[in-house]
């Protein structure tokens, strides 16, 4: 055996032992991909992509959704198999997160690619979000993905390989009125992921943020409002009524006209999963690239003035 091979084998054995998984099984194992929120929208499109590439890429796929949504997989013709697990996971539940990762560590030798996709987007102005609502938003979009990352990291570091893909948003680089807590959660995810990118480089673990703008889907129809923002939307005399009324229509129009679809974004995510060294940020659509450039090249004051002037019917806002 050549010296470098012997060294590689020694390192592989050490890594396997560190991961508590028998070496022989580790050397032939499939790459384990874990996707959160996979029963609908982008997560479902991604599930389909990964399944299509499964044989070629030698993936072991684990699709998760909350217990109440598990039936959707069968409705979509996605059936569990030896190399395709379907598991219930409410990302905000610490026990469910730990149990799932322990099961994967024990039976499959760990997660190789973690895709934090599950997310929710509250529509509300800052004045209309209570602390519990704010925590709920932050829990799903920011705190839980980070906790899941913390669960899979010891294994990835021990194996000296892994990929973390966090689905962010253009809302994580520019904020829009009535989407304050959503933007806050995605800005937080962006900040933590950027730090993590540098922290994990020494172990050959990559971190990538995917930033879609709007995707052509009906997701706007199921956007949750906070208790106070829902009242403001239905009450024409509320001082914020025009904010919600016009933004709701504007966002629905943008989503109907969006170039990006869950499938086109899923294609990009699947490419990141295959890539040897993915970058920190990947734009989910062409308009996301355009907004990133505008933010870079325009003087800050002009940029915020321009955005404000272009808000839908902004002249009427706050007139009551
Ligand atoms: N739609 C867009 O235009 C857009 C734009 C930019 C970024 N994004 C981001 O892309 C990702 C997917 O968005 P989407 O439009 O596909 O959303 P979607 O259709 O509303 O689906 C959201 C997914 O998140 C899951 N989820 C919500 N709360 C959860 C919890 N507590 N535990 C586990 N799963 C939970 C849902 O799971 P269940 O199946 O259990 O309900 C569902 O699968 C999100 O991170 C979102 O912020 C979307």
């Amino acid at each position: 055996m050549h010296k470098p091979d012997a060294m590689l084998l020694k390192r592989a054995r050490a890594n396997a032992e560190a991961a508590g998984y028998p070496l022989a099984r580790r050397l032939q194992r499939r790459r384990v991909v874990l996707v959160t929120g996979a029963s609908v929208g982008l997560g479902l499109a991604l599930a389909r992509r990964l399944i299509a590439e499964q044989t070629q890429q030698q993936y072991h796929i684990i699709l998760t959704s909350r217990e109440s949504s598990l039936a959707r997989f069968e409705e979509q013709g996605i059936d569990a198999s030896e190399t395709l697990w379907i598991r219930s996971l409410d990302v905000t539940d610490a026990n469910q997160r730990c149990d799932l990762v322990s099961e994967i560590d024990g039976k499959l030798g760990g997660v190789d690619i973690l895709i934090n996709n599950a997310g929710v987007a509250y529509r509300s102005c800052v004045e209309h979000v209570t602390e519990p609502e704010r925590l709920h938003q932050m829990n799903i979009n920011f705190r839980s993905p980070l906790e899941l990352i913390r669960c899979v990291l010891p294994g990835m570091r021990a194996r000296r390989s892994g990929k973390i893909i966090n689905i962010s948003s253009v809302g994580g680089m520019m904020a829009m009125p009535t989407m304050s807590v959503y933007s806050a959660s995605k800005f937080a995810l962006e900040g933590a992921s950027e730090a993590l990118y540098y922290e994990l480089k020494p172990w050959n673990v990559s971190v990538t943020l995917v930033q879609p703008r709007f995707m052509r889907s009906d997701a706007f129809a199921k956007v949750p409002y906070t208790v106070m923002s829902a009242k403001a939307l239905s009450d024409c005399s509320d001082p914020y009524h025009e904010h919600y009324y016009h933004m709701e229509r504007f966002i629905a129009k943008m989503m109907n006209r969006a170039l990006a679809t869950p499938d086109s974004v899923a294609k990009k995510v699947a490419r990141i999963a295959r890539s040897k060294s993915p970058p920190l940020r990947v734009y989910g659509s062409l308009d996301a690239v355009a907004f990133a450039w505008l933010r870079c090249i325009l003087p800050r004051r002009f940029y915020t003035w321009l955005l404000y002037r272009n808000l839908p019917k902004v002249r009427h806002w706050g007139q009551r």
Side-chain angles (χ1 to χ4, degrees), residues 37-318:
S39 73
V40 73
L42 173 57
L44 177 62
L46 184 56
R48 292 197 190 290
R49 282 261 155 205
L50 293 172
I51 291 168
E53 296 176 6
Q54 180 169 31
T55 312
Q56 201 185 7
Q57 297 299 322
Q58 287 289 293
Y59 288 143
H60 184 117
I61 302 168
I62 301 160
L63 305 176
T64 67
S65 81
R66 283 173 293 185
E67 180 87 46
S68 52
S69 316
L70 281 177
R72 285 200 204 127
F73 289 110
E74 205 181 332
E75 286 160 20
Q76 295 293 330
I78 298 179
D79 295 317
S81 71
E82 203 185 323
T83 53
L84 172 63
W85 291 4
I86 293 174
R87 293 289 186 271
S88 105
L89 175 65
D90 179 330
V91 291
T92 61
D93 186 318
N95 289 332
Q96 288 189 24
R97 288 191 305 255
C98 287
D99 289 352
L100 180 61
V101 175
S102 300
E103 184 190 4
I104 298 169
D105 284 346
K107 293 183 180 162
L108 305 174
V111 175
D112 297 289
I113 304 172
L114 168 64
I115 306 179
N116 277 312
N117 166 72
V120 68
Y122 270 110
R123 183 82 46 84
S124 183
C125 297
V126 169
E127 209 173 326
H128 290 157
V129 197
T130 60
E131 178 70 352
E133 288 164 337
R134 188 166 30 249
L135 278 178
H136 186 240
Q137 171 72 90
M138 293 304 280
N139 273 343
I140 296 174
N141 287 16
F142 170 61
R143 297 170 71 183
S144 304
L146 254 65
E147 283 303 311
L148 210 44
I149 290 170
R150 291 186 63 224
C151 288
V152 302
L153 272 188
M156 287 185 176
R157 281 192 298 96
R159 292 187 298 278
R160 290 195 168 270
S161 78
K163 277 195 189 96
I164 290 163
I165 303 174
N166 290 334
I167 306 302
S168 178
S169 168
V170 166
M173 69 168 143
M174 57 178 283
M176 293 222 294
T178 74
M179 299 187 75
S180 55
V181 271
Y182 173 70
S183 265
S185 68
K186 294 292 188 185
F187 268 70
L189 184 67
E190 293 258 339
S193 304
E194 193 167 321
L196 196 64
Y197 174 87
Y198 301 112
E199 289 168 6
L200 298 182
K201 267 262 174 213
W203 287 285
N204 188 34
V205 175
S206 68
V207 178
T208 301
L209 285 155
V210 181
Q211 297 177 312
R213 194 173 173 245
F214 294 118
M215 287 184 272
R216 203 178 333 125
S217 71
D218 61 357
F220 60 86
K222 51 187 181 187
V223 162
Y225 280 75
T226 63
V227 174
M228 282 187 276
S229 64
K231 265 194 204 139
L233 174 65
S234 57
D235 175 3
C236 299
S237 65
D238 189 281
Y240 283 103
H241 175 75
E242 305 286 338
H243 290 59
Y244 293 114
Y245 180 82
H246 296 298
M247 283 304 289
E248 189 191 48
R249 270 152 190 73
F250 172 72
I251 292 170
K253 200 159 78 181
M254 288 290 130
M255 285 181 103
N256 278 326
R257 290 183 183 169
L259 294 175
T261 60
D263 191 51
S264 69
V265 179
K267 204 168 162 183
K268 286 180 189 267
V269 181
R271 198 177 305 142
I272 298 165
R274 290 194 307 268
S275 162
K276 279 208 165 59
S277 68
L280 170 60
R281 283 192 174 80
V282 170
Y283 299 115
S285 50
L286 266 181
D287 47 3
V289 181
F291 274 102
W293 270 100
L294 276 182
R295 211 174 155 81
C296 283
I297 58 174
L298 293 181
R300 231 358 115 83
R301 266 184 99 120
F302 179 62
Y303 167 86
T304 45
W305 175 85
L306 186 70
L307 250 66
Y308 180 71
R309 291 299 300 244
N310 281 290
L311 290 173
K313 304 260 190 315
V314 73
R315 286 188 325 276
H316 303 291
W317 295 22

